[in-house]
Amino acid sequence: MIDKTFASAAEAVADIPDGASLAVGGFGLSGNPIALIEALLAQGTRDLSIVSNNCGVDDWGLGVLLNAKRIRKMTSSYVGENKEFERQFLSGELELELTPQGTLAEKLRAGGAGIAAFYTQTGVGTQVAEGGLPRRYDGQGGVAVASPRKDVRVFAPDGTEREYVLEEAIATDFALVHARRGDTHGNLVFNKSARNFNPLAAMAGRVCIAQVEELVAPGELDPDCIHLPGIYVHRIVEVGTDIEKRIERRTVSVAEALSRDIPEGA
């Protein structure tokens, strides 16, 4: 059987070229493949088109690539926690394809399943279907690139006719994902909320690179507990269980804050 392990994150991402498209796992800061992202930053890869639920924060996750101006386009469903993202988008430096979250998840899954497109009710009657959403500004307050109109058809899967909008699947050159455990064949197990967009991003990438906290030998993972089979994973690198993980917004009750001497509102 093929051993898919790489010695380091730098080696695993070394052939990702300028201009590549990437599907990247993570939800907020949960499940971000930060070692792979930082390796990509270090090697200087630029002009990237990235598909991910969000773009991290200013100094973490995909935000580190954004701050270095390595990203040309983002396809995301949420971008509200990154001030540099806002600045680049409004100034015309960054293209954004804003996509409903469930639609984005299905576009990635469909890309990995070999489905070219699908119809969904989400977005019908809005600019998602009708077009006109700003994708890139001209830096002067005008819209340089707007989203196109999408095909809308009527279906009655439950006997009631409704409109559905056509959404095309997403397949990318590479995928970067984070998992709790993996074996040398690429089978992955995700931990709790890190099992968000990571399996879907992995499916969509023609070459999937996974960082795992713990790497084990084939047969050590219970086959019934594997979340993503190794058929979708092409490279795997162990980053250790002590890898840094951040919380996007820490919120505690006033009573809990007082008991731990945490300033109220922290």
Side-chain angles (χ1 to χ4, degrees):
M1 297 293 290
I2 296 175
D3 185 339
K4 300 178 181 179
T5 58
F6 277 64
S8 68
E11 290 183 18
V13 304
D15 64 342
I16 298 181
D18 292 347
S21 60
L22 282 73
V24 181
F27 186 90
L29 300 186
S30 175
N32 282 201
I34 190 63
L36 298 174
I37 291 170
E38 290 180 338
L40 201 58
L41 175 71
Q43 76 178 29
T45 310
R46 60 183 62 252
D47 197 32
L48 296 168
S49 176
I50 296 181
V51 182
S52 188
N53 179 68
N54 61 291
C55 198
V57 292
D58 290 320
D59 63 346
W60 190 251
L62 288 171
V64 300
L65 289 174
L66 185 74
N67 279 337
K69 297 188 177 179
R70 305 289 179 78
I71 303 175
R72 176 185 60 82
K73 177 183 178 181
M74 280 296 305
T75 301
S76 301
S77 59
Y78 179 70
V79 295
E81 299 296 332
N82 195 315
K83 293 180 181 178
E84 176 61 12
F85 191 106
E86 177 186 10
R87 189 199 67 77
Q88 288 190 26
F89 178 50
L90 294 179
S91 68
E93 299 172 38
L94 177 70
E95 184 176 343
L96 169 63
E97 186 172 345
L98 199 58
T99 306
Q101 187 166 273
T103 301
L104 180 62
E106 182 62 11
K107 283 162 79 79
L108 289 166
R109 191 202 68 82
I115 298 169
F118 58 91
Y119 282 92
T120 175
Q121 285 185 270
T122 304
V124 171
T126 74
Q127 285 184 297
V128 170
E130 296 167 0
L133 279 173
R135 286 191 175 177
R136 184 166 58 81
Y137 285 99
D138 61 8
Q140 307 297 321
V143 177
V145 179
S147 64
R149 177 181 291 274
K150 297 176 181 178
D151 182 51
V152 175
R153 291 182 59 186
V154 174
F155 295 95
D158 61 354
T160 301
E161 290 190 344
R162 296 184 179 89
E163 290 186 328
Y164 292 75
V165 58
L166 181 69
E167 293 284 358
E168 296 185 10
I170 292 175
T172 58
D173 300 324
F174 293 86
L176 307 180
V177 302
H178 173 91
R180 175 64 183 85
R181 303 182 78 201
D183 64 25
T184 57
H185 291 170
N187 298 300
L188 302 180
V189 176
F190 302 95
N191 185 42
K192 299 182 173 67
S193 59
R195 188 183 175 187
N196 41 55
F197 276 80
N198 274 298
L200 303 171
M203 293 175 66
R206 296 183 184 93
V207 176
C208 173
I209 307 170
Q211 65 171 57
V212 298
E213 296 178 40
E214 182 184 0
L215 185 64
V216 300
E220 289 192 37
L221 298 178
D222 181 347
D224 201 41
C225 294
I226 290 172
H227 298 142
L228 186 75
I231 189 67
Y232 290 110
V233 179
H234 305 86
R235 305 171 190 173
I236 191 165
V237 59
E238 186 174 23
V239 296
T241 56
D242 60 347
I243 189 170
E244 183 181 1
K245 301 173 185 177
R246 295 192 186 181
I247 297 174
E248 193 166 358
R249 284 176 178 261
R250 183 185 296 275
T251 303
V252 297
S253 68
V254 174
E256 181 71 9
L258 293 174
S259 68
R260 297 190 180 187
D261 294 323
I262 300 173
E264 186 173 344

